[in-house]
Amino acid sequence: QKIASQSNNPVASLELPSNAAPLPDPTAVHEFGSIHTRSSFRTILMKNWRQTYWVRYGQSSLCIFRSKDDFEDWLLNPYHTQNQRDYLVKLRIDFFDEITKRNNIRGYKMTQVKSKSYGKHTAPMYQFKLERWSDSGVSLAAAFASPVEGEVKEIRRGIETCLNNCPNNGLRSIDDLIL
C-alpha cells in the first residue's frame, strides 16, 4: 500500500506500514468549527468546559476532536493504525446507526440555545444540550457552548442536519411503549 498523492510528492514513494488504516474521505467533511464541549462523565459532572473542534462527517455523524490539529492528523496522516486514528476522535455519534441499529435508543433531541453565566467575572456563554432518548429515559449525550452565539448555532445546525437525515428526524415515537 502506497500513499496516494501527487506524483511530484517525494513522500508518495514511501511504503506505508501494513497495519495503516485507510484515510477518512475528505469529501465527507461538511461542516466544522470550534466549540466548548462537555461530553465525558467527568466534564458533565464537574461542569468543566473543554475547548474542542467539531466536524459533521458524512450525512449523519458528528465527530468531536480535542483540537483542530487532531482533526487534521486524523484526516491526513496515512501512517495511523485504526486504533491511533480512533483515539484522535474524542466523541463520535453516528445518529443514523444509533437510531436504526440500537433497539433501546429512541433518538436524540436538542434543547434551545440559551445564554448562561458561569461565574461573576466571566462572559456569558451561549449553550445547548444534546439529549439521548432511550427506552429507559433521557440522558445527556453532550453539551455545547461558546461566548460567540454564531458558533453554537453552527454546531446546532450541523446536528440538526444529521438528525434530519435519520428516520423520524432522529427521534422515534414512544407509541410502542404505551400500554
Side-chain angles (χ1 to χ4, degrees):
Q1 186 182 21
K2 291 191 179 201
I3 299 172
S5 64
Q6 299 171 344
S7 59
N8 62 353
N9 184 345
V11 179
S13 62
L14 297 176
E15 292 289 326
L16 291 176
S18 61
N19 63 347
L23 287 170
D25 179 5
T27 64
V29 175
H30 298 292
E31 298 168 87
F32 50 84
S34 294
I35 197 75
H36 290 81
T37 305
R38 290 182 187 162
S39 59
S40 70
F41 178 75
R42 187 176 82 58
T43 59
I44 291 170
L45 185 66
M46 302 302 288
K47 298 187 177 184
N48 291 335
W49 291 110
R50 298 279 185 237
Q51 181 68 45
T52 59
Y53 194 78
W54 68 274
V55 173
R56 183 171 72 87
Y57 187 75
Q59 294 302 308
S60 63
S61 288
L62 176 72
C63 297
I64 305 292
F65 298 88
R66 288 169 188 81
S67 66
K68 185 177 182 182
D69 288 343
D70 277 3
F71 161 67
E72 290 172 348
D73 194 26
W74 173 81
L75 186 66
L76 302 172
N77 188 336
Y79 296 99
H80 284 310
T81 64
Q82 192 61 52
N83 283 345
Q84 291 168 326
R85 197 170 308 286
D86 290 345
Y87 178 76
L88 294 170
V89 182
K90 183 177 177 185
L91 173 68
R92 180 182 182 137
I93 302 173
D94 186 330
F95 295 97
F96 188 87
D97 279 356
E98 291 259 329
I99 293 165
T100 59
K101 294 182 180 171
R102 293 182 61 192
N103 291 337
N104 65 325
I105 300 295
R106 309 238 30 96
Y108 289 84
K109 192 173 178 183
M110 294 181 287
T111 63
Q112 293 299 314
V113 173
K114 63 181 179 180
S115 177
K116 186 173 179 181
S117 183
Y118 288 93
K120 287 182 180 180
H121 306 292
T122 59
M125 301 268 273
Y126 296 92
Q127 59 95 15
F128 73 96
K129 294 175 179 150
L130 177 64
E131 300 169 335
R132 179 182 294 115
W133 288 53
S134 70
D135 292 345
S136 57
V138 179
S139 62
L140 183 62
F144 304 99
S146 174
V148 179
E149 187 176 14
E151 289 179 348
V152 172
K153 287 185 174 182
E154 249 183 86
I155 188 171
R156 196 173 189 287
R157 272 192 304 272
I159 294 171
E160 188 172 32
T161 300
C162 290
L163 294 174
N164 288 339
N165 288 323
C166 294
N168 304 310
N169 291 323
L171 188 61
R172 284 188 294 147
S173 169
I174 60 166
D175 289 344
D176 61 318
L177 297 176
I178 299 172
L179 300 172

